């Protein structure tokens, strides 16, 4: 059965470019992003993994670890990392899981559907992981899932934007509107009464409709 939001992220033990890890133990108390790419030494993946290396400090600032995965073995990842550094300008410092047995790819449903009518079952192409993203919260539950096609590189700035929203809305009874970015106004969720909102936001808010109340972004810290 496929994974859904709020399911506990399956735990596993894996070989990575930074040694053997037990996933939940590796996550620790913070957030984590597990993301798969189809194949080492391919062009789109090289740009994606290089960009992730560049913005990894932004994830670290948000107490979020990142970890890559493909069905290539760890030795291949280690060789490919040299190309990523050479062509994208930043060394990969996050771990990459080698999953040649497809164990984790299957656990997280990262493989594309088999092509119908092929008698030989899975092909080399369908044995490659698609571009999946799983964002996992400190409670080890899945908070976000994304699946992109093979030929489209992801926008990892969007994942950071969602992480900001998820961390804010985990701490406060607010939601973030379309195209919201950190620091912009937010929505008071309908479950919060005006009386409760008055206590929380003594500076006031703007009521556009009774169900659409806009307020300045509260601090993540209180
Ligand atoms: C790529 O990363 O460029 C790629 C990988 C698999 C299929 C298509 C493109």
């Amino acid at each position: 059965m496929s994974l859904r939001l709020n399911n506990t992220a399956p735990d596993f033990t894996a070989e990575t470019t930074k040694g053997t890890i037990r996933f939940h133990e590796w996550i620790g108390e913070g957030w984590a992003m597990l993301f798969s790419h189809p194949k080492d030494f391919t062009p789109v993946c090289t740009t994606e993994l290089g960009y992730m290396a560049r913005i990894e400090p932004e994830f670290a600032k948000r107490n979020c670890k990142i970890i890559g995965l493909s069905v290539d073995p760890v030795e291949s990842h280690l060789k490919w990392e040299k190309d990523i550094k050479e062509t994208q300008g930043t060394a990969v410092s996050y771990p990459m899981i080698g999953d040649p047995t497809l164990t984790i790819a299957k656990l997280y449903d990262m493989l594309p559907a088999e092509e119908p009518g092929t008698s030989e079952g899975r092909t080399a192409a369908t044995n490659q992981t698609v571009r999946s993203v799983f964002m996992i919260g400190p409670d080890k539950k899945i908070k976000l899932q994304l699946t992109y096609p093979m030929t489209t590189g992801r926008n990892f700035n969007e994942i950071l934007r969602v992480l900001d929203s998820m961390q804010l809305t985990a701490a406060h009874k607010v939601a973030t509107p379309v195209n919201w970015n950190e620091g912009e106004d937010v929505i008071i969720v309908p479950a919060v009464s005006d009386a409760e909102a008055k206590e929380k936001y003594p500076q006031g808010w703007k009521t556009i409709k009774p169900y659409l109340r806009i307020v300045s972004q509260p601090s993540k810290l209180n």
Side-chain angles (χ1 to χ4, degrees):
M1 211 178 78
S2 61
L3 294 170
R4 296 190 287 180
L5 293 190
N6 286 334
N7 282 156
T8 297
D11 198 12
F12 55 80
T13 300
E15 298 308 315
T16 84
T17 48
K18 308 285 183 201
T20 306
I21 62 149
R22 299 226 320 264
F23 190 49
H24 283 196
E25 190 181 281
W26 174 82
I27 293 174
E29 303 296 311
W31 292 68
M33 174 179 152
L34 168 65
F35 67 110
S36 59
H37 65 274
K39 199 87 191 112
D40 293 355
F41 300 100
T42 54
V44 177
C45 301
T46 302
T47 63
E48 283 193 326
L49 280 273
Y51 191 74
M52 280 308 291
R54 181 133 54 97
I55 65 165
E56 193 272 337
E58 288 299 318
F59 282 87
K61 246 196 254 172
R62 292 160 174 85
N63 193 23
C64 182
K65 292 181 175 173
I66 60 180
I67 188 162
L69 177 147
S70 80
V71 300
D72 302 283
V74 166
E75 304 77 62
S76 166
H77 291 332
L78 289 169
K79 283 186 195 140
W80 182 43
E81 277 182 353
K82 296 191 180 83
D83 283 5
I84 296 174
K85 182 171 180 210
E86 180 192 324
T87 63
Q88 309 302 306
T90 313
V92 174
S93 57
Y94 51 85
M96 266 193 266
I97 297 169
D99 188 30
T101 59
L102 314 185
T103 309
I104 303 159
K106 285 180 182 164
L107 197 59
Y108 277 78
D109 225 350
M110 291 169 164
L111 298 170
E114 290 170 49
E115 284 130 33
T118 50
S119 53
E120 64 278 6
R122 300 198 77 85
T123 63
T126 56
N127 266 351
Q128 294 179 3
T129 43
V130 289
R131 299 183 196 282
S132 300
V133 177
F134 291 88
M135 192 63 84
I136 296 151
D139 57 2
K140 311 292 181 297
K141 299 240 165 92
I142 296 171
K143 307 293 182 188
L144 166 142
Q145 283 190 63
L146 275 181
T147 309
Y148 268 47
M150 298 283 192
T151 44
T152 305
R154 287 158 284 195
N155 182 340
F156 289 121
N157 297 332
E158 166 63 2
I159 314 278
L160 275 178
R161 190 190 74 85
V162 181
L163 181 57
D164 282 336
S165 170
M166 291 189 298
Q167 293 185 337
L168 178 72
T169 60
H172 297 278
K173 292 177 186 170
V174 296
T176 58
V178 61
N179 295 341
W180 174 88
N181 281 298
E182 175 68 23
E184 294 178 357
D185 289 351
V186 300
I187 291 169
I188 302 170
V189 294
V192 172
S193 67
D194 279 353
E196 191 185 340
K198 232 174 246 166
E199 277 176 33
K200 177 91 179 128
Y201 308 109
Q203 80 281 16
W205 62 88
K206 192 165 140 194
T207 301
I208 295 164
K209 290 279 177 192
Y211 58 83
L212 179 52
R213 295 167 296 172
I214 307 289
V215 72
S216 305
Q217 178 184 325
S219 162
K220 273 183 189 166
L221 301 175
N222 54 38

